[in-house]
């Protein structure tokens, strides 16, 4: 597996900018829309649980679980972007992820932030 399979983040062609910062250099916040989030819950299949159990005995990275978590985070982020766009936003500021176990049946991943409309600053 190449490094590209373990990366994430927004699509470079996206019309919604997602940043972890409170502002974007060169832009001003014209309007704050409010909190948006993207949520997904993924269950683990039996094969990955057995493989992870065996791997945990000998040590090392659980590559299958790592790849699944990257895919899950990307799906949550895509849903966040869709929600921001649907509410009229072109940016999400203060973006974060929250990951929790969901009743021992899977992993819940929530991507959240503040949807805004940003515009270039006048020089």
């Amino acid at each position: 597996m190449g490094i590209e399979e373990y990366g994430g983040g927004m699509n470079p062609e996206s019309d919604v900018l997602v940043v972890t910062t409170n502002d974007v250099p060169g832009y001003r916040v014209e309007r704050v829309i409010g909190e948006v989030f993207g949520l997904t819950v993924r269950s683990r299949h039996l094969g990955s649980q057995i493989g992870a159990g065996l791997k945990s005995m000998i040590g090392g990275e659980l590559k299958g679980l790592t790849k699944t978590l990257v895919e899950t985070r990307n799906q949550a982020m895509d849903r966040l972007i869709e929600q921001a766009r649907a509410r009229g936003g072109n940016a999400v500021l203060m973006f974060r992820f929250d990951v929790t176990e969901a009743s021992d049946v899977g992993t819940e991943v929530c991507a959240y932030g503040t949807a805004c409309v940003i515009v270039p600053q006048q020089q």
Side-chain angles (χ1 to χ4, degrees), residues 43-113:
S43 64
R44 293 181 216 96
H45 61 78
L46 183 59
S48 71
Q49 285 181 310
I50 292 171
L54 292 172
K55 188 74 167 188
S56 69
M57 285 196 257
I58 59 171
E61 181 182 10
L62 306 173
K63 291 184 180 184
L65 291 178
T66 300
K67 187 174 177 186
T68 299
L69 186 55
V70 167
E71 291 167 355
T72 303
R73 287 172 64 126
N74 287 342
Q75 183 179 45
M77 188 170 184
D78 289 345
R79 290 177 178 176
L80 165 93
I81 291 169
E82 288 172 19
Q83 190 179 95
R85 185 182 299 121
R87 294 180 61 192
N90 67 350
V92 176
L93 305 181
M94 300 173 19
F95 168 73
R96 303 287 187 267
F97 279 113
D98 185 42
V99 180
T100 57
E101 290 298 312
S103 302
D104 295 330
V105 296
T107 302
E108 172 190 332
V109 175
C110 183
Y112 63 96

Side-chain angles (χ1 to χ4, degrees), residues 3-26:
I3 191 66
E4 66 279 354
E5 294 183 67
Y6 294 103
M10 59 183 266
N11 183 333
E13 289 91 41
S14 178
D15 58 336
V16 176
L17 178 65
V18 179
V19 297
T20 60
T21 56
N22 296 336
D23 52 18
V24 178

Side-chain angles (χ1 to χ4, degrees), residues 32-37 80 83-84 87 92 110-116:
V32 174
I33 296 168
E35 181 186 7
V36 288
F37 65 90
L80 165 93
Q83 190 179 95
R87 294 180 61 192
V92 176
C110 183
Y112 63 96
T114 303
C116 298

